[in-house]
Amino acid sequence: MFDKVLVANRGEIAVRVMRACEELGIDTVAVYSDADKDSGHVRYADEAYNVGPARAAESYLDHDAVVDAAKKADADAIHPGYGFLAENAEFAAKVEETAGVTWVGPTAESMEQLGEKTKARKVMREADVPIVPGTTDPVSDPEEVEAFGEEHGYPIAIKAEGGGGGRGMKVVRSEAEVEDQLDSAQREGEAYFDNDSVYLERYLESPRHIEVQIIADEHGNVRHLGERDCSLQRRHQKVIEEGPSPALSDALREEIGEAARRGVKASDYVNAGTVEFLVEDGQFYFLEVNTRIQVEHTVTEELTGIDIVKYQLRVAAGDELDFAQNDVELEGHAMEFRINAEDAANDFAPATGGTLDVYDPPGGIGVRMDDALRQGDDLVTDYDSMIAKLIVHGADREECIARGRRALAEYDIEGVVTIIPFHRVMLEDDAFVAGEHTTKYLDEEMDFEAVEDAQEKWGSTQSSDGDEETVEREFTVEVNGKRFEVDLEERGAAAIPAGNPSSGGQKPEPAGGDSGSDDAEIDGDGERVTAEMQGTILDVNVSEGDEVASGDVVCVLEAMKMENDVVASRGGTVTQVAVGEGDSVDMGDVLVLIE
């Protein structure tokens, strides 16, 4: 077994992996960005290393920085969690090539084979696993999409090769949308997965989203751990997951589980993974393989009693699975509620800040919390909006729902907007309680008036930014003859004496330091198109002098892993463009001036 594992992630999944390591007697190493220096995963780890600024591309996604941190810490393994580099075959290969460091996951070759959707479809088709009609080679030209539409009809799903969770997927409902949606899917694929390759599928109108958890070792053993139903989604992002699925018969459940095993075995896959399917009218179709641990792995752990993360580590260390397929039994029913810092009553808009003035999670029998928070923490808005996960387990689905109602009512959060009120509404919703919802239910059928009422009744509001001034200093200290550079931070107090320029000391800087930004000056009295949330500019659609109409898209803003069109509220002439592709912006920043 490993001596020390670096967890190349943040937040609750990093803490989840570290807890498994601690139970196995393994030391843990955290990596963190400047934005996360006070985060829970940093507090939990045995040691921690800064890997760069807040922007993920310069920290958590920086291959060299993460591997260098592992070398500095003398870690003998890297666990990627989910998101960030978890499905990056290039990074996996880099770790595999690093002497003395083991990659906790499938091989880079397997990740490339199954992580790219067209390759995965070929593997599954050869293993006699049903697939949705679509292309098994990438497409790059609008004419190819139009030809597919003529053959199979509309709507068509354009999907990024490396995509998942709805990112990099666009739905084309007519020939007129082909070019714009193809460009958008390619742009998201490049932005999120460093891969602009896309493929096509027939778009199923009202499917259930079913996924099968698998674990495989290097000795040829493949086990499936049952299925999870992830059909409750908004904009293709899962919000509640459960297992077993209320929509499957026992016969169909067995058929899907064995299809997942068969496909994975044919690909020579090793470690944990998830095979996802769409189910419609009693038929199931392969969707994709997630070559990593899933957010909702907790549901399967509650049903089976199997610690999937521990088995990831054991398999990576070369151990053989110590249970047979017939040993896997699903007991009762489990649900996971994603606690996102979003306002469900406002189209799930991400929170723009806040402090956890109160954080009192639920407990009791059948209740599990996966989080990295503590009371007093500031909300970090630079990354994913999910801040915690609540998992409940009961003897059957009815008890599970009742336990979920009780746990959500107990969950006390103040100072940060969350979707807890939304979850409480869903556990009273007729379609969800009956298990009749599909992946389209939230976006196309549900009446959100009850959510708006629940947000007023039970929801917390964003706390105002703290008034305390933060003073940071750099010191050089000497311990037992060895020099160290130390950063010291003090809040709500007078500036720390550090000398003055005339005495060789450092001159105090403003709290928080220099932002390093060269904000463009906005000159004019026209309409100021501003950012509605913090994020990154993916694309700028206008130039100075362009004529725009009300509703025209002026730029595309990525925030919380979602692509958002920024539109002009009135027509006019663009007189100034204040941002460029790749720029980071804050809420309220002026993007474009129109007169």
Side-chain angles (χ1 to χ4, degrees):
M1 185 49 69
F2 307 114
D3 293 319
K4 185 184 291 187
V5 172
L6 181 143
V7 183
N9 218 291
R10 64 180 299 277
E12 60 82 23
I13 184 56
V15 172
R16 165 72 186 94
V17 174
M18 291 172 189
R19 284 175 171 152
C21 289
E22 185 171 358
E23 293 180 16
L24 292 172
I26 302 170
D27 291 338
T28 56
V29 181
V31 292
Y32 64 96
S33 71
D34 291 346
D36 267 337
K37 62 183 178 180
D38 298 318
S39 292
H41 72 288
V42 179
R43 294 191 296 259
Y44 195 92
D46 294 310
E47 52 189 294
Y49 292 81
N50 183 296
V51 287
R55 188 166 179 261
E58 300 173 29
S59 52
Y60 293 111
L61 295 177
D62 186 329
H63 299 192
D64 291 333
V66 174
V67 172
D68 286 347
K71 292 177 179 177
K72 290 176 184 175
D74 199 25
D76 51 0
I78 293 178
H79 192 301
Y82 46 69
F84 290 136
L85 296 171
E87 292 182 283
N88 189 305
E90 181 183 346
F91 179 68
K94 186 177 184 66
V95 176
E96 290 169 352
E97 294 165 1
T98 302
V101 182
T102 299
W103 171 251
V104 182
T107 65
E109 183 179 358
S110 287
M111 291 175 70
E112 185 176 3
Q113 182 183 47
L114 293 179
E116 291 194 0
K117 307 304 186 291
T118 53
K119 293 180 181 179
R121 285 166 61 86
K122 290 177 182 177
V123 170
M124 292 297 163
R125 185 175 61 185
E126 292 170 1
D128 197 27
V129 177
I131 63 174
V132 179
T135 61
T136 51
D137 291 308
V139 301
S140 57
D141 197 284
E143 283 75 15
E144 296 176 272
V145 183
E146 292 167 3
F148 186 87
E150 289 177 7
E151 180 179 355
H152 297 283
Y154 292 89
I156 302 167
I158 305 179
K159 295 186 173 184
E161 286 268 23
R167 285 167 288 157
M169 186 183 93
K170 297 297 173 182
V171 178
V172 182
R173 298 194 175 275
S174 69
E175 185 175 324
E177 298 178 0
V178 166
E179 190 167 349
D180 285 346
Q181 297 292 57
L182 177 60
D183 287 344
S184 184
Q186 290 173 325
R187 186 170 60 240
E188 280 196 14
E190 176 67 30
Y192 295 130
F193 312 107
D194 197 26
N195 181 356
D196 66 357
S197 182
V198 299
Y199 67 103
L200 309 178
E201 278 185 356
R202 190 181 77 197
Y203 185 65
L204 300 180
E205 288 288 2
S206 298
R208 299 289 289 229
H209 185 131
I210 308 295
E211 60 188 30
V212 178
Q213 177 71 57
I214 61 93
I215 185 79
D217 64 27
E218 61 186 39
H219 306 282
N221 300 301
V222 180
R223 309 283 184 258
H224 80 76
L225 308 182
E227 92 284 354
R228 300 181 291 255
D229 192 316
C230 305
S231 300
L232 196 74
Q233 304 177 5
R234 51 93 183 168
R235 291 177 288 188
H236 308 290
Q237 293 285 329
K238 304 166 188 173
V239 285
I240 299 177
E241 301 97 344
E242 64 179 305
S245 170
L248 300 187
S249 65
D250 288 342
L252 188 56
R253 174 173 292 113
E254 181 65 23
E255 191 176 353
I256 290 177
E258 285 306 310
R261 282 186 74 193
R262 189 167 62 247
V264 167
K265 195 169 184 65
S267 69
D268 296 323
Y269 187 92
V270 173
N271 215 274
T274 305
V275 186
E276 300 197 347
F277 298 91
L278 295 178
V279 178
E280 191 172 63
D281 299 327
Q283 300 295 314
F284 68 93
Y285 305 95
F286 168 75
L287 177 62
E288 63 186 16
V289 177
N290 292 122
T291 57
R292 53 170 168 79
I293 196 76
Q294 290 273 90
V295 173
E296 58 272 20
H297 73 279
T298 57
V299 169
T300 299
E301 290 180 331
E302 295 305 303
L303 294 174
T304 62
I306 293 173
D307 188 322
I308 300 170
V309 176
K310 282 186 181 178
Y311 274 101
Q312 282 191 290
L313 294 161
R314 289 167 176 153
V315 166
D319 292 355
E320 186 171 1
L321 294 175
D322 57 4
F323 61 91
Q325 184 62 56
N326 290 338
D327 295 331
V328 179
E329 295 182 1
L330 307 185
E331 297 289 343
H333 200 91
M335 287 185 179
E336 175 184 272
F337 304 90
R338 298 191 184 200
I339 309 302
N340 296 341
E342 300 171 352
D343 184 354
N346 185 26
D347 197 28
F348 291 92
T352 57
T355 299
L356 288 166
D357 300 322
V358 174
Y359 186 71
D360 188 9
I365 188 170
V367 175
R368 167 179 169 178
M369 285 299 311
D370 276 26
D371 58 21
L373 305 172
R374 72 181 180 197
Q375 192 160 298
D377 281 355
D378 292 329
L379 179 67
V380 176
T381 59
D382 298 83
Y383 312 108
D384 193 282
S385 62
M386 189 178 68
I387 57 175
K389 300 184 308 197
L390 166 64
I391 307 97
V392 295
H393 182 237
D396 52 31
R397 193 168 188 265
E398 183 179 5
E399 183 178 62
C400 187
I401 288 175
R403 186 158 286 160
R405 290 175 183 145
R406 185 265 296 172
L408 287 164
E410 287 182 10
Y411 207 155
D412 190 4
I413 293 181
E414 295 294 339
V416 171
V417 177
T418 75
I419 62 171
I420 289 174
F422 162 82
H423 287 313
R424 296 181 68 174
V425 168
M426 292 314 305
L427 294 190
E428 303 291 345
D429 182 82
D430 291 341
F432 181 79
V433 170
E436 297 172 350
H437 56 289
T438 70
T439 58
K440 310 300 174 59
Y441 181 66
L442 290 184
D443 293 333
E444 299 178 5
E445 300 177 43
M446 184 178 168
D447 182 359
F448 269 79
E449 186 175 341
V451 176
E452 294 168 5
D453 293 341
Q455 188 65 38
E456 282 192 27
K457 183 177 181 180
W458 296 314
S460 62
T461 57
Q462 180 177 318
S463 63
S464 59
D465 292 335
D467 296 326
E468 293 183 338
E469 184 178 9
T470 301
V471 179
E472 298 183 16
R473 286 286 179 276
E474 294 181 359
F475 289 93
T476 300
V477 298
E478 187 174 299
V479 180
N480 294 332
K482 185 175 181 180
R483 291 168 64 86
F484 296 89
E485 300 298 322
V486 178
D487 293 334
L488 186 62
E489 177 182 295
E490 189 169 15
R491 301 185 181 213
I496 305 166
N500 56 60
S502 63
S503 62
Q506 291 180 310
K507 183 177 180 180
E509 296 176 4
D514 184 0
S515 67
S517 62
D518 295 318
D519 296 334
E521 288 190 14
I522 304 301
D523 211 5
D525 298 323
E527 180 203 6
R528 299 184 176 211
V529 181
T530 61
E532 296 183 356
M533 61 194 77
Q534 185 274 337
T536 302
I537 300 297
L538 289 184
D539 194 32
V540 179
N541 295 18
V542 295
S543 302
E544 291 183 10
D546 286 354
E547 296 291 329
V548 296
S550 175
D552 282 356
V553 177
V554 297
C555 60
V556 180
L557 173 68
E558 182 272 322
M560 297 295 184
K561 299 185 179 178
M562 299 296 292
E563 185 174 309
N564 305 274
D565 290 337
V566 181
V567 301
S569 61
R570 72 179 193 187
T573 302
V574 176
T575 58
Q576 188 171 357
V577 178
V579 292
E581 183 178 329
D583 286 354
S584 295
V585 296
D586 291 321
M587 182 179 180
D589 283 358
V590 178
L591 310 177
V592 173
L593 188 68
I594 299 173
E595 294 186 352

